[in-house]
Amino acid sequence: MRFGRTSKAVGIAAIAAIALSACAGNSGGNTPSTGAAKTGGTATVVEVNAFNTFNPNTADGNTDINSKVSYATHSGFYYIDNKLNVVHNDKFGKMEKVSDNPLTVKYTINDGVKWSDGTPVSAADLLLQWAAFSGYYDDADPKAKTGTSYFSYAGDNTGLSLTDFPEISNNNKTLTLKYSKPFADWEIVLGGPGIDVPAHVLAQKAGLKDTQALIDFFKSKPRGDSKAPLPADAKLKAMSDMWNTGFDTKTLPADPTLFLSNGPYIVKSMNQDQSLTMVRNKDYNWGPTPNLDEITVRYIGSAPAQVQALKNGEADIIAPQASADTLEQLKALSSQGVTVDQGNQLAFDHLDLNFSGPLADQNVRTAFMKTVPRKDIVSKIIGKLDPNAKPLDSQIFVPQQAAYADSAKNNGSSAYQDVDIDGAKKLLNGATPEIRIMYNKDNPNRVDAFSLIRESATKAGFKIVDGGLGKSDWGKALGKGGYDATIFGWINPGVGVSGVPQIFKTAGGNNFNQFSNTDADKLMEELVVTTDRSKQDDLQKQIDKKIWDSSYGVPLFQSVNVDAYSDRITGVKLMPNQTGVWWNFWEWAQK
């Protein structure tokens, strides 16, 4: 399960410290609407970020808005509800653990499940997802700078790397994975919440005859070995390049195969950096059936502008980067039938420092961390929204988790409670490093955080350069160089532990600042094969300390989730994880 990048103030994302909770017997069927709601109608939802890819699984595309659109237009074996239960979608197919020793998981796709061009969803689609997510063919050695990494998956591939080549049934409906070790997140690692990239399209783009040719090609290729790298395979490279970037777009592609759906909705139109509209997939009957005929998503970074859109009837549901003023403005609309939901989100904002350039020196990183006015940032951005808010003192946990207090007490975060300009100057020893900070310049909260950091760091001698980028560009810039530090948010799916290596393991899918710690890597390798919750917490506490000891950067604050919706729409429910209010979009209905 991937952690997502978010532009919302609550952002969180760095760790899956919440235990997986299976919801046995729930098939994920449609929940009837209540009240005066009716089938049909439309809704307009406002989000902060702008859509830019139909493949949200890539390191570049893993932002909240891309994942939300994918969630509405694709389907799979499960989804996560607002109680953080994994709910199986038996209408799509059956996912079953058939053995514990060795761990063996069988996926069977039901007859009738198909892409919007009529092609059946098959085991080939699952195999492509496995190939992309597992890193099976990679033979790159980042330290030696040899070999090739093919698919740029945003998540952690440690779990699926424990599998051999999958077994595929003759009818191409079933795929079986056999693991060499136990794996904590087996239930959420493949096949959901959606299968995004159609194998038959990728096969065609790579010059293969059909999906069977794709299966045969994957079978013919050996597992990658970083100790004995081979020359890059041209066909595999073409396929992975297509998977990595071929579905990136800010406008509706002329080629309809680049935005196929296998879910409740199909994208109908896109207005670059402005909006996207989805319409009902009339063939869809293999999961929760939506009420609405059409959903439009508008991208508005400004919270006041979102509130105004809701007030004017130009939006039905908004998810702003909220402040205390935003909350007051929304509550003032209660007389107009607006409902406001507020709660702690499984997300946090953070400042990450690159382990390169002027910040390659740990003394410089430590000095910079000493200048970050975390208390002022919390006070200005969310203090009025949550009077009890404090700087977040863990890179792994949030305060609602039982392990947070103990981890924060022992991880070294206490050294960065208050600004220490004199301590920073001492470490710099007269140096005046130039630090370019990248962030979403269309997000007012990130602008405020940047301004406060710049003002404070300048006092210690740092020269701060504004590296802010637009709402549809900052996510793709992560990890590409051109900046020294970045401010953004992680948002947690709320289940599993694979989000930790996704971000912090050497060469992890979202390890954008090139953090590398051998001891932490070993702990993360142990974490993903540990199924005992208390042992997971202990390992994560140790990892948390390794991160702080390395002067990785600083978490800023846990995000506060604020969503609001008009009484024209029913069925909206608050969700603390990365799916937000979208988690049950099929229940939305127009009065």
Side-chain angles (χ1 to χ4, degrees), residues 259-456:
F259 59 98
L260 294 182
S261 163
N262 61 25
Y265 289 94
I266 301 172
V267 174
K268 174 187 177 183
S269 63
M270 296 169 60
N271 185 357
Q272 181 172 340
D273 290 337
Q274 300 296 320
S275 65
L276 174 152
T277 297
M278 298 176 282
V279 295
R280 182 196 295 272
N281 180 356
K282 296 180 180 179
D283 292 331
Y284 177 79
N285 62 3
W286 46 88
T289 304
N291 292 306
L292 296 171
D293 288 333
E294 181 176 297
I295 299 175
T296 294
V297 187
R298 294 180 61 194
Y299 324 132
I300 301 177
S302 165
Q306 285 202 23
V307 175
Q308 191 64 39
L310 184 64
K311 180 179 180 180
N312 294 344
E314 298 167 355
D316 300 300
I317 306 169
I318 67 172
Q321 176 80 52
S323 65
D325 290 341
T326 308
L327 194 59
E328 290 177 4
Q329 292 164 6
L330 288 172
K331 288 181 176 179
L333 298 181
S334 60
S335 60
Q336 299 181 27
V338 169
T339 298
V340 182
D341 288 330
Q342 179 181 356
N344 288 315
Q345 194 175 20
L346 293 175
F348 64 87
D349 273 30
H350 50 99
L351 170 75
D352 292 355
L353 308 179
N354 287 359
F355 283 65
S356 60
L359 293 172
D361 184 337
Q362 182 168 0
N363 280 341
V364 180
R365 293 198 305 276
T366 303
F368 197 84
M369 289 168 63
K370 286 179 175 291
T371 70
V372 179
R374 295 201 300 152
K375 290 181 179 178
D376 288 346
I377 290 171
V378 170
S379 176
K380 180 174 180 60
I381 295 177
I382 62 168
K384 293 181 180 179
L385 194 62
D386 179 5
N388 298 317
K390 297 178 181 179
L392 188 66
D393 288 331
S394 173
Q395 299 276 8
I396 302 290
F397 302 103
V398 291
Q400 287 69 36
Q401 296 170 302
Y404 173 81
D406 189 50
S407 191
K409 180 180 177 181
N410 298 297
N411 60 16
S413 59
S414 58
Y416 305 98
Q417 290 298 311
D418 298 299
V419 172
D420 182 6
I421 299 299
D422 290 339
K425 287 181 176 179
K426 185 175 180 179
L427 286 169
L428 290 177
N429 194 27
T432 57
E434 182 175 284
I435 307 297
R436 178 180 292 272
I437 302 178
M438 194 271 286
Y439 61 98
N440 179 1
K441 68 179 182 180
D442 293 325
N443 181 322
N445 285 6
R446 302 276 159 74
V447 173
D448 287 345
F450 166 76
S451 299
L452 290 167
I453 291 170
R454 176 175 56 185
E455 180 182 358
S456 182

Side-chain angles (χ1 to χ4, degrees), residues 204-226:
Q204 184 266 325
K205 299 295 184 184
L208 298 173
K209 180 181 178 182
D210 51 26
T211 54
Q212 186 58 51
L214 179 141
I215 293 171
D216 293 341
F217 173 77
F218 279 141
K219 277 185 179 179
S220 72
K221 305 305 298 179
R223 182 194 289 266
D225 182 356
S226 61

Side-chain angles (χ1 to χ4, degrees), residues 89-94 108-113 121 173 286:
N89 178 14
D90 292 339
K91 291 183 177 181
F92 179 90
K94 188 175 183 180
T108 302
I109 301 170
N110 292 339
D111 291 335
V113 178
V121 176
K173 286 292 183 181
W286 46 88

Side-chain angles (χ1 to χ4, degrees), residues 29-33 79 288-289 291 573 586-587:
N30 183 47
T31 302
S33 301
Y79 65 88
T289 304
N291 292 306
K573 298 177 183 177
W586 53 87
E587 292 186 43

Side-chain angles (χ1 to χ4, degrees), residues 2 14 16 112 122 139 143 151 153 184 201 234 276 316 411 490 521 570:
R2 291 173 288 110
S122 70
D139 58 13
K143 293 182 180 178
F151 296 94
Y153 174 48
V201 172
L276 174 152
D316 300 300
N411 60 16
W490 282 122
D521 284 348
T570 65

